[in-house]
Amino acid sequence: MADKIRVLLTEEEVDARIGEIAAQISKDYEGQEIHLICILKGGVFFTCELAKRLSVPVTMDFMSVSSYGGGTESSGIVKLVKDLDESLEGKHVLIVEDIIDSGRTLAYLIEVLKQRQPADIRLCTLLDKPERRVKKQVKVDYVCFTIPDEFVVGYGLDYDQKYRNLPYIGVVEQEREDN
Ligand code: PRP
C-alpha cells in the first residue's frame, strides 16, 4: 500500500533556507563555539545539513525524547529515552528540532537542560506549526519554515516511522490500494 504525498517544500527550497539560517546563526555566534543538540530521531537530517553549513566551531550531542506514543497527537507526557553524553556546563547550546508542534517537547527539554549550567540555550527548528502551540512560553530563535497545520513527512519527519528519508517536505494526503 502506497501513500500519496504532496510536495510542500522542495529539496531545493529546504536546502536554500537551511543555508540562510546557517549564515544567520554563524553571524550571531561569531567568536563562539556552538554545542548542537540534535533531538532524535526527527532532528537528525536537519542537524547534519545545518552543521555542514556553519562557519563557527561546532560540537554535537544527541538526545532522544518521546512524546507522541505512536499516534499523531502529542500525549502531553514527554519521556527521556536517551540522555546526552556530554556536560553542558559553560557551553553555547543550540537545540535542533525538525518540528515544533504543541511545544511540549521543547518546554520539557529546556527545563531539563537549563539546570545543567550552559552559558546559554537557543532553539532552532526546521518547521514550526504555531497554530498548534499549547506551550506558548516556548520562544524559538531560528525557524526555517512556518507551516500550516498539516501532517508532514520527510527530512526526518515520519508517518508510522516511514518517509524520514525523503529529501523534501511532503503532506500525506491519502492511502491507495496499489503498491
Ligand atoms: C516530534 C518532533 C518533536 C516533537 C514536536 O518528535 O521531532 O520532537 O514531536 O512535538 P511537540 O511540539 O508537540 O512536542 P516525535 O515524538 O514524533 O519523535 P521522532 O522525532 O523520533 O519522530
Side-chain angles (χ1 to χ4, degrees):
M1 175 129 29
D3 300 307
K4 191 174 174 209
I5 297 174
R6 169 170 54 87
V7 177
L8 182 67
L9 296 162
T10 66
E11 181 173 8
E12 291 74 22
E13 286 171 322
V14 175
D15 289 354
R17 183 68 183 132
I18 294 174
E20 286 175 9
I21 285 282
Q24 180 66 50
I25 292 171
S26 299
K27 191 164 161 252
D28 293 352
Y29 284 86
E30 209 176 324
Q32 297 177 335
E33 186 174 285
I34 303 178
H35 190 59
L36 286 181
I37 295 184
C38 169
I39 309 303
L40 299 169
K41 304 173 187 146
V44 73
F45 287 80
F46 177 42
T47 305
C48 294
E49 293 304 317
L50 180 71
K52 279 165 27 181
R53 292 165 173 85
L54 293 172
S55 58
V56 291
V58 165
T59 55
M60 295 172 76
D61 206 347
F62 299 83
M63 193 170 196
S64 182
V65 291
S66 157
S67 62
Y68 278 10
T72 58
E73 282 291 320
S74 175
S75 63
I77 301 159
V78 182
K79 196 171 80 180
L80 181 53
V81 179
K82 181 213 171 291
D83 205 343
L84 298 168
D85 293 332
E86 314 288 335
S87 155
L88 297 186
E89 209 176 325
K91 293 179 182 167
H92 300 289
V93 169
L94 183 60
I95 300 174
V96 185
E97 267 285 20
D98 53 344
I99 189 163
I100 303 173
D101 200 330
S102 70
R104 288 188 177 104
T105 304
L106 273 178
Y108 166 83
L109 277 175
I110 292 162
E111 277 313 304
V112 169
L113 300 185
K114 77 180 183 192
Q115 291 167 25
R116 303 184 185 183
Q117 280 90 46
D120 47 57
I121 301 183
R122 289 188 206 171
L123 311 175
C124 179
T125 189
L126 179 60
L127 304 174
D128 187 15
K129 269 189 196 174
E131 283 170 48
R132 301 260 303 171
R133 197 76 90 252
V134 174
K135 297 283 185 183
K136 311 259 186 213
Q137 74 273 25
V138 172
K139 298 281 177 261
V140 192
D141 301 278
Y142 303 100
V143 177
C144 288
F145 299 98
T146 299
I147 59 165
D149 184 13
E150 293 189 285
F151 194 84
V152 285
V153 294
Y155 234 95
L157 291 139
D158 75 303
Y159 171 47
D160 221 2
Q161 298 303 323
K162 290 183 292 186
Y163 308 123
R164 293 191 196 274
N165 61 315
L166 296 180
Y168 56 87
I169 306 290
V171 177
V172 181
E173 294 207 308
Q174 64 188 64
E175 291 195 339
R176 296 194 312 244
E177 286 302 319
D178 56 346
N179 292 310

